[in-house]
Amino acid sequence: MKLILIRHGETHWNKDGLIQGGDSDIQLNDTGLEQARKLAAFLENEPIIAILSSPLQRAIATAEVIASHHQLPVEIDHGLKELKVGDLEGMSISKLTTTFSQFLLHRRQDREHIKLPNGESLVELQGRAWEVIERLVEKHRTNPEHNQDTAVVIVSHYFVTLAIILKALGLPLDYLIRFKVDLGGVSVLEFRDYGARLVTFNDTSY
């Protein structure tokens, strides 16, 4: 099974540099809608059997454009919702002295478990997102109609995408600051009997 991980298209909060977590349900702007259309064309010939999305509108809108090319419904899964950033929601990223990823993983012991004020930890995020992946992999293994080339699309968010990739590759959450996923970025994981491998990361060439 191929798992195609997509970060949603641009919103005006992205454009304005505002922190956009799981409690902000911001629509795609015109650039984001155009990214979704280009993504759909890029993936048109992929043997996609299912499309899952975060419950947030920026992800759903991106997924719906892709789904329209495959006559598939968009399945909403709350496990794919973006990191709950609590009191930081809507704050300008420019007010931080580092990137947001570095801010989350500041040099403290057991930092992956630290919850943001009124938010959640990266470990909690990864746990709920990985449950979605485990269900998909098990469903694929038990369905004789699925083969190694069939693909499932997941449209979600920055931290969700990275948390899934790191878990699949057996890498610690500390490595999150070494990766960057752009808006509309496409990453592909292949799941085989021996485990998962990353075959594409953050492709925006479309």
Side-chain angles (χ1 to χ4, degrees):
M1 180 185 76
K2 287 199 303 186
L3 189 62
I4 302 175
L5 301 168
I6 299 172
R7 186 184 177 194
H8 62 80
E10 185 183 84
T11 71
H12 72 271
W13 274 31
N14 292 129
K15 185 176 181 180
D16 294 342
L18 303 180
I19 295 173
Q20 189 173 226
D23 289 332
S24 54
D25 203 5
I26 312 300
Q27 298 278 355
L28 296 181
N29 61 16
D30 289 343
T31 298
L33 289 169
E34 180 61 21
Q35 287 171 326
R37 287 190 285 268
K38 289 181 178 179
L39 272 166
F42 179 63
L43 298 172
E44 191 166 22
N45 295 321
E46 287 286 341
I48 296 170
I49 57 172
I51 300 175
L52 280 69
S53 173
S54 153
L56 299 178
Q57 287 301 313
R58 56 191 184 270
I60 293 173
T62 305
E64 285 178 340
V65 178
I66 297 169
S68 68
H69 286 240
H70 297 271
Q71 291 75 53
L72 289 170
V74 174
E75 303 173 37
I76 306 300
D77 197 308
H78 287 261
L80 300 172
K81 200 173 186 181
E82 180 60 305
L83 179 73
K84 183 178 176 66
V85 298
D87 295 350
L88 297 181
E89 196 79 59
M91 178 187 292
S92 173
I93 296 174
S94 65
K95 292 183 179 180
L96 304 178
T97 57
T98 64
T99 67
F100 189 42
S101 295
Q102 289 170 325
F103 175 79
L104 290 175
L105 292 170
H106 54 83
R107 294 296 175 186
R108 286 176 58 184
Q109 188 176 8
D110 204 26
R111 51 193 173 272
E112 300 96 336
H113 290 83
I114 296 171
K115 290 187 178 184
L116 295 166
N118 295 313
E120 66 179 336
S121 69
L122 288 169
V123 167
E124 289 172 324
L125 164 68
Q126 189 178 60
R128 60 175 166 80
W130 191 248
E131 286 180 2
V132 178
I133 306 307
E134 287 183 320
R135 291 197 301 269
L136 282 175
V137 172
E138 182 60 27
K139 183 178 180 180
H140 169 77
R141 285 175 178 165
T142 57
N143 191 329
E145 295 182 1
H146 297 180
N147 58 53
Q148 290 188 345
D149 295 323
T150 53
V152 174
V153 169
I154 288 183
V155 183
S156 62
H157 308 273
Y158 186 91
F159 290 107
V160 176
T161 298
L162 287 179
I164 290 171
I165 290 172
L166 292 177
K167 181 71 172 180
L169 300 180
L171 297 174
L173 278 167
D174 274 8
Y175 278 51
L176 186 144
I177 60 175
R178 304 187 186 189
F179 295 87
K180 180 176 181 287
V181 179
D182 294 314
L183 293 162
V186 178
S187 301
V188 180
L189 286 166
E190 287 184 352
F191 287 85
R192 299 289 187 256
D193 292 339
Y194 54 78
R197 66 175 179 175
L198 184 65
V199 295
T200 303
F201 180 71
N202 194 33
D203 186 0
T204 57
S205 63
Y206 54 86

